[in-house]
């Protein structure tokens, strides 16, 4: 894909691929505490310097959890000035740092060079956002090229030429100067995480589940970054990594605790809550499999369909599985949450998620909804076509089914199923319910 000077082709990323609740974070905390006082492991022998860590997690409250649970001093970048400057100062001092994914995305090449020089181990709780489409029109791209503001270099890399530029694309200038902005086929621009963000570390551990179905896996494959997967095994109070073995996962037991609302097969008729949100009388198999996808919401769904979905959500939590609002969590495409919200499924127009029970589709690694006994996942997950085409340029094909079920399971485990308790599930997309069942039978 793209080569970066200094890339260590022999480095292997350690992917700890285990179900939620298997002990990934507990293993990481144990690993840190057991290695206190140990020196860095280098090819030419120990350097005499103690091991240092950068722990990356999606949420600030998880940062605090890691600081409290480990026996070394983890520092969090301060808000004074900018957090990125604080982060750089901590690295310069050789401190261990606990931070969020959002800040990790902003590390520039100078900071990554300092990380490599000091010698750090990276522990990344949940996968990173390694690929994002940059919102810019084809005409604006042409204008920037014609004005000599940018040029497209080797491997379609965007090179910024105007050092004195100040304007609406100043954020794009920062991305380009960080050597990680790509123009695909002259029409779509992507930010990709610089591979140095993984290469600069002595060791890297990624804690996640169903890694093969996620974008970060395809990013590694496209960049020829080697990785090895491990499972977590608990013996008494001790956690250890073993060779990856999905058969040890309690998939069947977990699935049996999910009370999934399904069609009434005994009467050989479709349940109104799962089928009547599409107002067309006859559907092809392709149309049926794409119901509730992003394309369906934006191009196919009628006002009548969306009203029916709204009614279905309300009826499910009022009549099918009566649940108090504080024990509900639900999701859909964020653009349509205001349309589907109702007295049971709350959505705060001020974007204050603490005032409602809506959870973002990509929510991971949060325990805030562990008391919730009922959920709704009103979405049918497919990869963005632009992202799919991006990977295809490098001969990489994304498994849409693995991607979909991976995201669904991550969402399910925000609720009480993470505590091994039964949970009510409204998943109206037939494809998503089928994929979940296939997962439980180890078919995915």
């Amino acid at each position: 894909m793209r080569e970066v000077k200094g890339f260590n082709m022999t480095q292997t990323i350690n992917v700890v691929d285990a179900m939620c609740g298997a002990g990934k974070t507990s293993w990481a905390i144990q690993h840190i505490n057991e290695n206190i006082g140990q020196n860095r492991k280098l090819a030419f022998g120990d350097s005499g310097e103690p091991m240092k860590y950068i722990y990356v997690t999606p949420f600030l409250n998880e940062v605090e959890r890691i600081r409290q649970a480990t026996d070394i001093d983890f520092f969090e970048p301060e808000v004074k000035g900018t957090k990125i400057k604080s982060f750089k100062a901590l690295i310069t001092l050789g401190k261990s740092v606990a931070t969020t994914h959002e800040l990790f995305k902003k590390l520039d090449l100078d900071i990554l060079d300092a990380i490599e020089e000091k010698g750090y181990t990276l522990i990344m709780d949940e996968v990173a956002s390694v690929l994002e489409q940059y919102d810019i029109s084809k005409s604006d791209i042409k204008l920037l090229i014609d004005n000599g503001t940018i040029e497209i270099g080797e491997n379609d890399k965007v090179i910024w030429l105007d050092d004195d530029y100040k304007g609406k694309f100043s954020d794009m200038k920062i991305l380009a100067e960080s050597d990680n902005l790509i123009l695909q086929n002259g029409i779509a621009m992507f930010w990709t995480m610089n591979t140095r963000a993984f290469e600069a570390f002595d060791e890297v551990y990624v804690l996640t589940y169903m890694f093969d179905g996620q974008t970060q896996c395809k990013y590694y494959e496209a960049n020829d970054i080697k990785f090895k997967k491990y499972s977590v095994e608990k013996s008494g109070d001790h956690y250890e990594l073993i060779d990856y073995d999905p058969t040890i996962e309690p998939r069947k037991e977990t699935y049996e605790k999910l009370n999934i609302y399904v069609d009434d097969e005994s009467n050989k008729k479709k349940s109104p809550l799962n089928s009547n949100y599409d107002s067309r009388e006859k559907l092809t198999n392709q149309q049926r499999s794409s119901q509730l996808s992003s394309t369906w919401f934006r191009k196919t769904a009628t006002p009548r369909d969306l009203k029916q979905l709204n009614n279905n959500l309300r009826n499910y939590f009022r009549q099918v599985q009566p649940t108090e609002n504080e024990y509900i969590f639900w999701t859909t495409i964020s653009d349509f949450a205001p349309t589907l919200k109702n007295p049971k499924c709350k959505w705060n127009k001020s974007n204050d998620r603490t005032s409602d029970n809506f959870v973002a589709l990509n929510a991971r690694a949060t325990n805030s909804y562990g008391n919730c006994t009922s959920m709704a996942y009103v979405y049918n997950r497919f990869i963005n076509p632009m992202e799919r085409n991006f990977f295809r340029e490098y001969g990489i094909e994304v498994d849409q089914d693995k991607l979909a079920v991976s995201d669904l399971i991550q969402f399910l485990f925000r609720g009480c199923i993470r505590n091994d308790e039964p949970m009510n599930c409204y998943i109206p997309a037939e494809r998503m319910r089928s994929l979940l069942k296939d997962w439980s039978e180890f078919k995915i």
Side-chain angles (χ1 to χ4, degrees):
M1 192 172 174
R2 291 171 296 280
E3 289 198 18
V4 179
K5 185 177 180 181
F7 178 44
N8 178 8
M9 294 297 292
T10 63
Q11 180 179 345
T12 299
I13 307 295
N14 304 292
V15 177
V16 184
D17 192 321
M19 281 178 62
C20 303
K24 297 187 294 290
T25 303
S26 296
W27 170 85
I29 292 169
Q30 171 192 285
H31 176 75
I32 292 168
N33 288 338
E34 287 182 346
N35 282 279
I36 293 174
Q38 298 296 315
N39 293 338
R40 294 171 59 195
K41 298 177 182 178
L42 301 176
F44 50 84
D46 290 345
S47 69
E49 297 179 2
M51 292 180 68
K52 298 179 286 291
Y53 296 90
I54 294 178
Y55 197 106
V56 182
T57 185
F59 300 100
L60 283 172
N61 60 349
E62 289 297 302
V63 168
E64 184 58 29
R65 175 191 173 193
I66 295 303
R67 293 182 65 187
Q68 294 294 327
T70 51
D71 296 329
I72 65 172
D73 290 330
F74 267 108
F75 292 82
E76 183 181 351
E78 297 180 355
V79 180
K80 295 178 182 178
T82 65
K83 280 197 171 185
I84 200 70
K85 288 183 178 178
S86 174
F87 189 103
K88 186 173 184 177
L90 291 171
I91 298 302
T92 301
L93 294 172
K95 303 296 185 180
S96 288
V97 180
T99 189
T100 62
H101 280 272
E102 194 59 33
L103 188 61
F104 187 80
K105 285 167 51 178
K106 299 176 182 177
L107 303 188
D108 59 30
L109 294 176
D110 287 342
I111 295 178
L112 294 172
D113 286 342
I115 287 172
E116 182 173 30
E117 180 181 346
K118 291 290 184 178
Y120 277 85
T121 292
L122 172 65
I123 299 179
M124 177 170 281
D125 195 353
E126 290 303 339
V127 291
S129 176
V130 294
L131 174 70
E132 294 177 4
Q133 188 172 353
Y134 184 83
D135 187 14
I136 185 172
S137 68
K138 186 177 178 180
S139 59
D140 280 337
I141 293 172
K142 184 177 185 302
L143 181 64
L144 289 171
I145 293 174
D146 291 345
N147 289 346
T149 306
I150 66 172
E151 69 177 7
I152 309 304
E154 187 178 356
N155 296 320
D156 299 326
K157 191 171 293 181
V158 177
I159 300 172
W160 199 272
L161 301 175
D162 185 358
D163 292 338
D164 299 321
Y165 177 87
K166 292 182 180 180
K168 70 174 184 176
F169 296 112
S170 294
D171 58 337
M172 177 181 164
K173 177 175 182 286
I174 294 171
L175 295 176
E177 289 178 340
S178 295
D179 202 30
N180 55 355
L181 200 60
I182 306 296
L183 181 65
Q184 184 189 49
N185 297 328
I187 58 172
M189 195 168 287
F190 286 92
W191 168 86
T192 63
M193 184 173 286
N194 197 305
T195 55
R196 289 278 291 144
F198 299 99
E199 301 152 6
F201 292 87
D202 290 356
E203 287 186 295
V204 176
Y205 295 91
V206 178
L207 317 180
T208 189
Y209 183 51
M210 296 194 74
F211 184 68
D212 290 352
Q214 298 172 19
T215 303
Q216 188 167 328
C217 175
K218 303 307 168 185
Y219 160 88
Y220 283 169
E221 291 175 0
N223 283 285
D224 295 323
I225 296 177
K226 299 179 178 65
F227 63 90
K228 182 177 180 181
K229 297 197 300 180
Y230 296 89
S231 295
V232 177
E233 187 173 69
K234 185 179 181 183
S235 177
D237 294 329
H238 192 267
Y239 297 87
E240 63 178 301
L241 300 187
I242 61 173
D243 288 341
Y244 179 65
D245 181 8
T247 64
I248 68 173
E249 298 170 3
R251 295 188 184 187
K252 182 175 182 292
E253 296 84 347
T254 299
Y255 185 77
E256 289 175 348
K257 284 186 171 66
L258 299 175
N259 180 24
I260 302 169
Y261 187 83
V262 296
D263 295 327
D264 187 353
E265 296 179 358
S266 62
N267 293 328
K268 295 187 177 180
K269 65 179 183 180
K270 299 292 184 182
S271 161
L273 287 185
N274 280 337
S275 61
N276 68 354
Y277 48 73
D278 198 308
S279 58
R280 293 169 294 174
E281 292 183 2
K282 294 183 179 180
L283 299 176
T284 65
N285 288 336
Q286 177 62 34
Q287 289 170 329
R288 184 173 292 106
S289 67
S290 66
Q291 286 178 313
L292 295 175
S293 65
S294 296
T295 300
W296 183 88
F297 270 105
R298 295 191 167 97
K299 296 183 178 181
T300 304
T302 66
R304 175 183 166 187
D305 296 331
L306 297 177
K307 182 179 180 180
Q308 186 63 60
L309 262 181
N310 183 301
N311 290 337
N312 290 352
L313 279 166
R314 183 175 63 252
N315 290 341
Y316 177 78
F317 291 118
R318 275 186 171 173
Q319 299 177 19
V320 180
Q321 293 296 338
T323 311
E324 296 295 327
N325 291 5
E326 64 182 302
Y327 301 113
I328 294 170
F329 69 113
W330 74 288
T331 195
T332 189
I333 301 175
S334 58
D335 292 351
F336 288 86
T339 304
L340 299 185
K341 71 174 183 178
N342 58 62
K344 301 303 293 182
C345 297
K346 301 289 188 177
W347 184 85
N348 186 277
K349 65 181 180 180
S350 300
N351 203 31
D352 179 7
R353 298 280 73 85
T354 62
S355 301
D356 59 29
N357 52 18
F358 179 83
V359 182
L361 278 165
N362 60 352
R364 294 169 180 264
T366 175
N367 302 326
S368 301
Y369 305 92
N371 67 322
C372 291
T373 57
S374 298
M375 60 77 71
Y377 187 91
V378 190
Y379 187 49
N380 189 1
R381 175 74 159 105
F382 292 93
I383 192 171
N384 179 298
M386 287 291 193
E387 292 184 10
R388 180 189 60 201
N389 292 337
F390 179 90
F391 285 115
R392 281 180 173 174
E393 287 286 316
Y394 303 100
I396 304 297
E397 196 66 41
V398 176
D399 188 318
Q400 299 266 33
D401 289 347
K402 284 185 178 180
L403 174 71
V405 76
S406 170
D407 280 6
L408 174 58
I409 290 169
Q410 286 283 355
F411 189 82
L412 287 169
F413 270 89
R414 297 314 102 215
C416 68
I417 191 66
R418 70 180 298 111
N419 302 321
D420 203 29
E421 298 172 2
M423 189 168 74
N424 303 314
C425 304
Y426 178 45
I427 308 171
E430 183 179 357
R431 170 176 172 264
M432 298 301 290
R433 296 197 307 275
S434 296
L435 290 175
L436 184 58
K437 190 172 190 303
D438 286 345
W439 165 84
S440 73
E441 297 171 353
F442 294 90
K443 295 177 181 178
I444 294 181

